[in-house]
Amino acid sequence: QVQPVESRGGLVQAGGSLRLSCAASGRTYSTYAMGWFRQAPGKEREFVASITWNGGNTNYADSVKDRFIISRDKALNTLYLQMNSLKPEDTAVYYCAARRSPYDSTYSYWGQGTQVTVSS
């Protein structure tokens, strides 16, 4: 198993930046990819970005492309999400998750979530 634990989020003004981190413990060697998801009040959880653990290949939702950057530090078993040019619509609980297999798109391991609030 992999246990992701997100850092504390925060409150930031529109146009500002914030970096989230996610420490992964456990069987990280078996991780194929990790991703960030978010859920705003009254909305479904949505994909934000992902990165393959070994190759570093990234994928982004259109809504965050060119504003957010996902990265990972394999030595520290830590995933990051650098969020720039934040908008009020980025307000959500952000979740870090791990995916085990390239043949199964399911993210099996989830963090507890962290609140990000962007004020206008």
Side-chain angles (χ1 to χ4, degrees):
Q1 286 192 340
V2 176
Q3 291 85 42
V5 178
E6 299 96 342
S7 62
R8 182 177 297 182
L11 171 65
V12 63
Q13 287 189 326
S17 298
L18 189 66
R19 188 176 83 156
L20 301 180
S21 61
C22 172
S25 61
R27 293 184 164 183
T28 56
Y29 59 84
S30 65
T31 300
Y32 168 70
M34 292 194 73
W36 290 97
F37 295 76
R38 67 186 183 186
Q39 187 167 19
K43 294 189 175 181
E44 298 282 322
R45 185 163 57 191
E46 64 175 2
F47 168 79
V48 175
S50 65
I51 186 167
T52 56
W53 197 247
N54 287 321
N57 297 312
T58 59
N59 190 28
Y60 295 91
D62 288 343
S63 58
V64 306
K65 200 172 292 184
D66 299 326
R67 298 189 298 124
F68 290 11
I69 301 171
I70 188 171
S71 63
R72 88 276 188 250
D73 186 323
K74 291 173 64 179
L76 296 178
N77 287 333
T78 301
L79 179 73
Y80 301 99
L81 185 68
Q82 177 67 43
M83 304 184 290
N84 301 317
S85 302
L86 282 161
K87 305 175 181 179
E89 51 263 44
D90 294 317
T91 295
V93 176
Y94 283 71
Y95 297 89
C96 167
R99 174 182 163 188
R100 292 179 297 182
S101 170
Y103 309 110
D104 181 354
S105 61
T106 303
Y107 282 78
S108 302
Y109 307 107
W110 292 82
Q112 78 285 358
T114 188
Q115 178 70 46
V116 172
T117 303
V118 183
S119 62
S120 57

